């Protein structure tokens, strides 16, 4: 059972993964047994959710070399910090702590003979011989491995790290699958005590998160992954996570957070924007009762308010979240990003600029996006307000190219998009962008959010139509003229769709598609518009037509901005129309 990844997968990594040999017999912990470890980690989790981040780390640190759960908890907090700050030293610290955590978990894993590691099968006999500690060691090891892989991707851009990260993920996935089998085989035999339920929670989290994550991937990527043993079932993933979230294990909150991320972000940015807010509310409610000032809990509550169109309420909640703690400034940055969009939806450009400015100065996550966003918002301000800010739009756009970064050797698609758009300001005679803040709103699927509010959608439509008239009246038309016309038609169509004026929306989308040959630079507009037209037909229950347009967007276009993001959305849309993968080559 413990064979998978028991040094076999990792052996190709040279000296890096030099695990200590597992003991022949696990020594009985004199001071920290499994039950005590789980209790202490539960206390640390409560501290963490109450914004006492340093205290949580202090509680876990003393035993982080001798207890698998302390090791996992301690390193998880540091990995979260690294993912939020994006500082190279934090990423290094996260990786080295996770490496130590893997070694700690490794010491508790079942020792396997060469024959066992080659057979790689879970047999009834081997499961019966597994101690509770060994079962937990597997699940903790898989969790550590997955987190270390994620950090490996962002640490460096060389291909070796990318492959090593992939192998770690595969090993983690295999271990989770075997633990799932162990769970199924022990349903009747092992005594169902508290530690067994904790193991169950770990399996729910792992199997649930992997299945959900893999189910989001477009067919062509998934086919490649299935070749090396990955496959994802969304319903199974959601079911496992719901089961884990409803339990009382340490991982219940992690299952809850995974579901919340899925409902409040993933389904919106990489899906069709149809989030289950009722479930999100239901999942968060008990934690709001228990941790009313917990910044992470308040953040999700505010995000749910945004998705409901309650922007004013969300703004107050984000301010509460910012006031709740000063230790992890990165949580403030998440709030600034959301507040920037809240004010953008309301076209309160000065306030939106304020938060974009704070992000560009304080956060390291994506300087290119923040500076572009700041410049894009400034473009929306009246001349007098712009002067008062003292900012120079042209100089800001010219900075964007030098700020882009690479993750796992790849440029970030939204950064690439921002760089391309900013190029209009590179020459000595810049050509101004048309409503760039609203175009970026579309990139993040913001029209699906603001569409909840007819009043604000009407206001956006007025802004777009005003710009449309100004563009038509231009006597000196630039080479970007048709690109700008089509971009405005796409945005106008989205507003009309959300206002229920579906025939007019269809006309706008059709104009973009008919102008395909005249678009010079923004080639992303046609496939994205085909997709939007497909969704419009879906809304009108014209299923065949919807599939045809979405399939056209999928199969007939290549090498345009944010192609992978559209393929994620197409995958979700076809899935919601229940098209079997066989019919989509």
């Amino acid at each position: 059972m413990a064979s998978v990844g028991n040094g076999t997968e990792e052996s190709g990594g040279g000296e890096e993964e030099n695990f200590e040999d597992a003991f022949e017999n696990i020594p009985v912990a004199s001071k920290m047994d499994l039950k005590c470890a789980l209790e202490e980690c539960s206390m640390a989790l409560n501290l963490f959710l109450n914004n006492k981040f340093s205290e949580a780390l202090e509680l876990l640190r003393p035993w982080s070399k001798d207890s698998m759960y302390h090791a996992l908890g301690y390193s998880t907090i540091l990995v979260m910090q690294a993912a939020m700050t994006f500082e190279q030293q934090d990423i290094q610290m996260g990786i080295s702590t996770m490496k130590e955590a893997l070694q700690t978990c490794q010491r508790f894993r079942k020792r396997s003979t060469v024959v066992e590691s080659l057979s790689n099968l879970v047999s009834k006999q081997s499961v019966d011989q597994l101690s509770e500690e060994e079962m937990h060691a597997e699940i903790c090891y898989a969790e550590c491995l997955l987190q270390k892989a994620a950090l490996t991707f962002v640490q460096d851009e060389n291909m070796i790290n990318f492959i090593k990260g992939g192998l770690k993920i595969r090993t983690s996935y295999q271990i989770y699958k075997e633990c799932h089998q162990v769970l199924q085989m022990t349903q009747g035999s092992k005594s169902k005590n508290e530690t067994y339920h904790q193991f169950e929670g770990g399996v729910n989290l792992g199997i649930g998160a992997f299945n959900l994550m893999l189910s989001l991937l477009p067919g062509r990527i998934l086919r490649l992954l299935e070749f090396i043993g990955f496959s994802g079932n969304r319903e199974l993933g959601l079911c496992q996570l719901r089961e884990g979230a409803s339990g009382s294990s340490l991982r219940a909150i992690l299952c809850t957070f995974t579901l919340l991320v899925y409902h409040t972000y993933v389904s919106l940015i990489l899906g069709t924007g149809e989030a289950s807010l009722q479930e999100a509310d239901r999942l968060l409610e008990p934690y709001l009762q228990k941790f009313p000032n917990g910044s992470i809990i308040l953040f999700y509550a505010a995000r749910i308010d945004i998705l409901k169109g309650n922007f004013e309420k969300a703004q107050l909640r984000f301010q509460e979240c910012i006031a709740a703690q000063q230790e992890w400034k990165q949580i403030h940055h998440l709030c600034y990003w959301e507040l920037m969009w809240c004010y953008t939806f309301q076209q309160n450009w000065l306030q939106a600029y304020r938060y974009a400015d704070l992000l560009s100065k304080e956060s390291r996550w994506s300087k290119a996006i923040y500076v572009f966003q700041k410049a894009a918002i400034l473009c929306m301000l009246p001349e007098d307000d712009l002067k008062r800010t003292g900012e120079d739009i042209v100089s800001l756009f010219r900075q964007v190219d030098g700020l882009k970064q690479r993750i796992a050797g790849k440029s970030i698609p939204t950064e690439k998009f921002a760089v391309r758009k900013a190029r209009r300001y590179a020459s000595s005679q810049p050509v101004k962008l048309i409503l760039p803040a609203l175009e970026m709103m579309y990139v993040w699927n913001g029209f699906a959010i603001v569409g909840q509010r007819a009043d604000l959608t009407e206001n956006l439509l007025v802004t777009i139509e005003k710009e449309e008239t100004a563009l038509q009246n231009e006597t000196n038309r630039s080479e970007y003229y048709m690109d700008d016309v089509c971009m405005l038609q796409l945005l106008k169509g989205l507003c009309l769709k959300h206002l229920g004026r579906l025939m007019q929306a269809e006309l706008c989308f059709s104009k973009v598609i008919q102008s395909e040959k005249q678009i010079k630079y923004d080639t992303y507009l046609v496939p994205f518009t085909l997709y939007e037209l497909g969704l419009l037909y879906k809304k009108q229950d014209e299923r065949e037509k919807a599939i045809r347009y979405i399939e056209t967007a999928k199969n007939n276009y290549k090498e345009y901005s944010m192609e992978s993001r559209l393929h994620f959305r197409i995958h979700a849309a076809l899935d919601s129309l229940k098209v079997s993968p066989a019919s989509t080559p």
Side-chain angles (χ1 to χ4, degrees):
M1 150 66 209
S3 60
V4 179
N6 224 359
T8 53
E9 282 271 358
E10 297 289 318
S11 57
E15 294 303 309
E16 189 203 341
E17 313 289 354
N18 184 19
F19 295 124
E20 296 172 40
D21 283 337
F23 296 114
E24 286 295 343
N25 297 301
I26 304 293
V28 176
S30 52
K31 304 179 189 117
M32 184 60 69
D33 61 11
L34 189 59
K35 189 169 175 289
C36 291
L38 286 162
E39 281 168 8
E40 231 176 61
C41 288
S42 183
M43 283 161 63
L45 183 62
N46 282 342
L47 286 169
F48 183 82
L49 293 172
N50 268 319
N51 310 322
K52 295 178 177 162
F53 309 118
S54 297
E55 286 177 47
L57 280 170
E58 285 310 308
L59 179 62
L60 295 166
R61 184 184 284 120
W63 286 95
S64 63
K65 303 271 196 304
D66 301 294
S67 152
M68 62 182 115
Y69 272 101
H70 286 73
L72 173 63
Y74 183 67
S75 53
T76 298
I77 294 175
L78 291 179
V79 165
M80 276 182 75
Q81 198 165 9
M84 282 175 149
T85 64
F86 239 53
E87 295 279 356
Q88 203 52 44
Q89 70 191 63
D90 287 345
I91 291 171
Q92 279 305 128
M93 178 74 169
I95 285 175
S96 64
T97 314
M98 200 46 89
K99 208 185 283 188
E100 286 171 7
L102 279 165
Q103 290 175 1
T104 303
C105 296
Q106 177 72 8
R107 290 211 309 274
F108 290 93
R109 294 176 76 200
K110 183 175 171 63
R111 245 189 122 174
S112 57
T113 64
V114 178
V115 178
E116 282 171 338
S117 31
L118 286 174
S119 72
N120 203 15
L121 291 170
V122 178
S123 68
K124 184 78 179 81
Q125 187 186 0
S126 65
V127 168
D128 287 341
Q129 288 167 1
L130 270 182
S131 71
E132 269 189 336
E133 246 111 2
E134 288 164 349
M135 284 165 69
H136 281 269
E138 289 302 317
I139 219 86
C140 291
Y141 187 87
E143 227 164 287
C144 289
L145 208 52
L146 191 57
Q147 292 185 47
K148 184 160 185 275
L151 274 192
T152 305
F153 284 133
V154 297
Q155 175 202 22
D156 200 348
E157 57 190 60
N158 70 45
M159 199 58 192
I160 298 295
N161 268 345
F162 194 73
I163 293 164
K164 275 161 73 174
L167 285 173
K168 287 184 179 75
I169 289 175
R170 186 167 181 266
T171 305
S172 174
Y173 181 63
Q174 288 299 121
I175 296 172
Y176 275 124
K177 281 199 342 191
E178 295 207 345
C179 287
H180 193 227
Q181 283 177 271
V182 168
L183 198 62
Q184 289 170 323
M185 289 166 115
T186 55
Q187 284 297 335
S189 53
K190 297 254 176 190
S191 58
K192 300 285 181 69
N193 57 12
E194 177 54 30
T195 51
Y196 182 84
H197 289 304
Q198 293 287 353
F199 174 74
E200 207 168 15
V203 174
N204 290 149
L205 175 65
I207 293 292
F210 259 115
N211 273 280
L212 186 57
M213 189 169 65
L214 289 165
S215 75
L216 298 167
L217 296 173
R220 58 186 182 175
I221 301 173
L222 201 54
R223 274 194 292 280
L224 186 70
L225 290 175
E226 279 169 351
F227 179 69
I228 54 168
F230 285 101
S231 59
N233 176 327
R234 183 171 313 183
E235 284 317 307
L236 172 67
L238 288 169
C239 178
Q240 287 283 320
L241 288 166
R242 283 167 185 147
E243 201 176 307
S246 65
S248 57
S249 80
L250 265 179
R251 269 92 169 195
I253 183 71
L254 296 175
C255 291
T256 299
F257 282 164
T258 306
L259 285 166
L260 285 171
V261 168
Y262 173 70
H263 288 311
T264 61
Y265 282 99
V266 177
S267 63
L268 211 92
I269 296 164
L270 300 179
T272 55
E274 294 165 4
S276 172
L277 297 182
Q278 292 83 359
E279 180 171 16
D281 262 336
R282 202 168 58 247
L283 286 162
L284 198 60
E285 190 49 44
Y287 292 100
L288 265 172
Q289 299 291 325
K290 197 174 174 187
F291 306 103
N293 296 313
S295 55
I296 296 172
I297 307 299
L298 284 170
F299 176 82
Y300 276 116
R303 175 66 185 171
I304 292 168
D305 282 330
I306 283 189
L307 296 182
K308 288 176 178 171
N310 300 337
F311 304 135
E312 298 78 8
K313 188 177 171 193
Q315 283 154 1
L316 293 171
R317 271 235 167 104
F318 282 124
Q319 296 300 350
E320 279 177 51
C321 178
I322 290 166
Q325 59 85 36
Q326 299 304 313
E327 193 181 336
W328 274 23
K329 286 284 185 191
Q330 300 78 34
I331 295 174
H332 294 187
H333 299 157
L334 293 173
C335 294
Y336 297 163
W337 174 258
E338 295 296 341
L339 283 163
M340 176 189 77
W341 285 115
C342 261
Y343 289 115
T344 296
F345 298 150
Q346 296 164 306
Q347 294 192 76
N348 183 340
W349 300 116
L350 269 174
Q351 281 288 46
Y353 156 70
R354 190 179 147 223
Y355 288 105
D357 185 45
L358 279 169
L359 283 168
S360 70
K361 287 173 179 162
E362 291 183 19
S363 173
R364 287 179 57 89
W365 246 87
S366 172
K367 290 280 185 194
I369 292 289
Y370 297 146
V371 171
F372 182 87
Q373 199 75 41
K374 178 163 115 171
I377 289 165
L378 287 166
C379 287
M380 312 295 290
L381 283 176
E383 203 58 48
D384 291 348
D385 286 347
L386 177 60
K387 276 198 185 113
R388 277 199 289 276
T389 66
E391 298 276 11
D392 177 352
I393 289 177
V394 174
S395 135
L396 285 170
F397 278 124
R398 285 176 179 168
Q399 287 172 38
V400 175
D401 193 20
L403 295 169
K404 67 177 186 288
Q405 55 193 342
R406 294 171 83 79
I407 291 182
K410 292 280 213 183
S411 303
I412 301 162
T414 28
E415 285 196 352
K416 253 159 87 174
F417 178 76
V419 167
R420 268 183 208 148
K421 298 298 291 188
R423 275 188 199 136
R424 280 169 60 158
Y425 291 83
S427 72
S428 54
Q429 290 180 304
V431 182
K432 80 181 187 86
L433 286 165
I434 304 295
L435 304 185
L438 300 194
E439 187 175 14
M440 278 309 260
M441 191 203 292
Y442 175 62
V443 166
W444 293 100
N445 218 354
F447 281 85
I449 301 172
V450 80
Q452 310 274 336
R453 290 274 296 268
D455 56 338
L456 299 178
T457 307
E458 282 282 7
N459 295 345
L460 285 168
L461 185 59
V462 170
T463 302
I464 293 163
E465 287 179 334
K466 209 156 112 190
E467 201 64 43
E468 192 182 15
T469 308
L471 196 60
Q472 281 164 358
N473 294 338
E474 289 234 339
T475 46
N476 197 4
R477 290 177 175 176
S478 78
E479 58 181 323
Y480 299 98
Y481 176 75
M482 274 316 289
D483 295 50
D484 290 340
V485 166
C486 289
M487 192 271 292
L488 288 175
Q489 287 301 314
L490 170 58
L491 301 188
K492 185 176 171 180
L494 288 162
C495 289
L496 291 164
K497 178 184 109 169
H498 288 296
L499 289 167
R501 290 149 68 179
L502 306 187
M503 229 162 118
Q504 287 170 278
E506 186 179 347
L507 276 172
C508 290
F509 294 150
S510 300
K511 273 184 200 166
V512 179
I513 294 158
Q514 284 153 14
S515 309
E516 179 173 356
K517 299 236 179 329
Q518 294 159 273
I519 294 171
K520 286 188 178 177
Y521 301 99
D522 291 330
T523 52
Y524 84 94
L525 287 168
V526 177
F528 272 85
T529 304
L530 282 161
Y531 162 77
E532 293 297 348
L533 194 50
L535 289 188
L536 187 71
Y537 290 131
K538 180 192 166 194
K539 198 179 167 80
Q540 295 172 88
D541 291 326
E542 295 188 57
R543 189 174 169 276
E544 296 307 316
K545 232 173 173 181
I547 292 167
R548 192 166 74 247
Y549 277 92
I550 294 169
E551 291 275 16
T552 305
K554 176 184 170 182
N555 298 324
N556 293 10
Y557 297 86
K558 277 194 183 81
E559 289 165 18
Y560 52 87
S561 290
M562 297 168 306
E563 184 177 350
S564 57
R565 185 171 293 201
L566 182 59
H567 276 274
F568 273 101
R569 289 182 187 175
I570 285 170
H571 176 71
L574 292 175
D575 191 57
S576 71
L577 287 156
K578 289 289 173 270
V579 178
S580 66
S583 68
T584 60

